[in-house]
Amino acid sequence: GGPVGLATAIDAAQRGLEVVVAERRAGDGDKACGEGLMPSSLHALARLGVDPPGQPIRGIRYISGDRAVESRFRGDPGRGVRRVRLVQAMRHRADQVGVRTVQATVSSVRQRADGTVDVGDMRARYVAAADGLHSPIRRGLGLDAPSSAPSRYGVRRHYRREPWTDLVEVHWAEDCEAYVTPVGHDEVGVAILSRGGEPFDAWLTRFPRLLAGLGDSAAITRDRGAGPLRQHATRRVEGHVMLVGDAAGYVDALTGEGMAVGFASASALVRCVVSDSPTDYEQAWARATRRPRLITEALLRATQHPRVRHALVPAAQRIPLAFDAAVNALA
């Protein structure tokens, strides 16, 4: 019932399939999220008939101390969209195309010899498990893979303030990053990614330039957290159950293209269902996610070294064409 689950459901319904979404939460769908939609994410949503309200984003700016480097998207802009508004728009579209939603907790599934899958008191030909970072279905199917990388966590908060830029700002400190996304004409979201262990305001003190920009702006939402962010799956397919979105594996939120990857993998999953070829999904998922996974993994590994981390923004200043190419590759 999150954005990637709803994207899967809408796409499948538009292709003539009967779809049921099982969602355990009855609330507004809010969750810790950077809330920046890359241009490719907006294109994917448009194909689904979804146009969520938000604030235009025209590129990315990296900031470290008094140094900054930015890159503008070459084509259409992205958009900063509050998670609750995105989910609301997607739920509305799902209703329009005939997706049925039931409030239910799905912690396990049972595959039958005839190729169907029991999901609680329902039976389906296929199951798209879009149940998040710590997917109970992934774990129940024995598809969890351990990770030896350091754990990182994200915490998000919103402030009542007119955005000071039409870019997503990524503020770099020695051991954390802060992502600032304009999500409305008088609202900005701040997400901090770190190793955890300290409250939001303690991490925020590591970013004096960001603090100066926020000034005395009032926080208008409570802090929401998520993590550990890095999750792996041994594979994405088990019989007629396919993992999608964060449940399929998550490298890190470092480059901000999580929604784009999720929507691309949702489309790949539906194509495999329509062609009745679930075993093709593993390769389809790999193709749809390869570029952002490789870029994110390389950047994550590099920035674990303090010297490389400290040199990242100065290096991007020296070779702006490379920075511009990386940003637009993820856009």
Side-chain angles (χ1 to χ4, degrees):
V4 175
L6 288 168
T8 308
I10 294 167
D11 191 358
Q14 289 184 162
R15 291 171 180 262
L17 302 179
E18 179 188 3
V19 187
V20 177
V21 170
E23 170 56 58
R24 67 184 178 90
R25 299 181 181 88
D28 57 14
D30 203 6
K31 181 182 174 183
C33 181
E35 301 183 319
L37 295 177
M38 292 290 201
S40 57
S41 294
L42 289 183
H43 296 158
L45 287 171
R47 289 192 292 271
L48 298 175
V50 178
D51 185 22
Q55 194 75 2
I57 295 172
R58 304 193 184 280
I60 308 292
R61 176 184 291 143
Y62 275 16
I63 298 171
S64 179
D66 60 355
R67 291 177 174 268
V69 60
E70 66 183 54
S71 173
R72 298 265 169 175
F73 299 140
R74 295 171 190 156
D76 296 331
R79 190 177 301 170
V81 180
R82 280 287 306 273
R83 170 85 174 208
V84 293
R85 296 174 189 140
L86 174 61
V87 170
Q88 182 180 39
M90 297 188 76
R91 284 176 175 171
H92 177 68
R93 179 58 179 162
D95 289 342
Q96 285 183 326
V97 297
V99 173
R100 183 163 64 94
T101 301
V102 298
Q103 188 173 349
T105 298
V106 178
S107 56
S108 64
V109 296
R110 186 170 71 91
Q111 305 205 57
R112 302 171 64 91
D114 63 1
T116 60
V117 187
D118 286 337
V119 186
D121 60 357
M122 297 180 287
R123 185 172 298 175
R125 176 68 171 160
Y126 288 100
V127 171
D131 52 344
L133 275 177
H134 308 290
S135 167
I137 294 177
R138 183 183 68 216
R139 184 171 59 251
L141 292 172
L143 301 181
D144 263 337
S147 172
S148 59
S151 296
R152 297 205 335 142
Y153 300 81
V155 183
R156 185 218 63 196
R157 179 189 291 178
H158 296 96
Y159 290 86
R160 180 69 68 208
R161 194 200 189 287
E162 180 181 355
W164 57 85
T165 179
D166 59 359
L167 306 174
V168 169
E169 288 189 343
V170 184
H171 293 252
W172 291 80
E174 183 179 348
D175 52 358
C176 57
E177 307 95 50
Y179 295 75
V180 185
T181 307
V183 292
H185 70 279
D186 63 348
E187 192 174 359
V188 297
V190 178
I192 294 179
L193 269 63
S194 71
R195 64 178 184 272
E198 297 183 39
F200 187 95
D201 290 311
W203 289 109
L204 198 59
T205 61
R206 291 163 165 81
F207 307 102
R209 185 163 167 174
L210 172 54
L211 276 173
L214 291 172
D216 59 357
S217 304
I220 56 173
T221 59
R222 66 184 182 89
D223 298 351
R224 283 187 175 271
L229 296 175
R230 196 179 183 92
Q231 301 293 324
H232 291 297
T234 56
R235 59 184 183 278
R236 261 60 39 186
V237 183
E238 179 64 34
H240 278 203
V241 181
M242 291 168 281
L243 307 179
V244 67
D246 294 349
Y250 194 76
V251 177
D252 199 277
L254 196 61
T255 51
E257 81 302 327
M259 286 294 183
V261 171
F263 294 153
S265 58
S267 179
L269 185 152
V270 174
R271 289 196 301 272
C272 292
V273 168
V274 169
S275 63
D276 202 27
S277 54
T279 55
D280 291 346
Y281 176 59
E282 186 68 35
Q283 285 193 333
W285 177 89
R287 286 193 300 269
T289 64
R290 180 176 289 112
R291 179 182 294 178
R293 282 189 293 112
L294 290 175
I295 294 175
T296 304
E297 186 73 53
L299 187 57
L300 189 64
R301 286 181 180 276
T303 53
Q304 288 175 359
H305 301 279
R307 288 184 179 179
V308 176
R309 190 177 183 88
H310 182 72
L312 180 66
V313 174
Q317 285 183 314
R318 288 193 298 271
I319 45 175
L321 290 178
F323 180 67
D324 182 71
V327 167
N328 280 279
L330 292 169

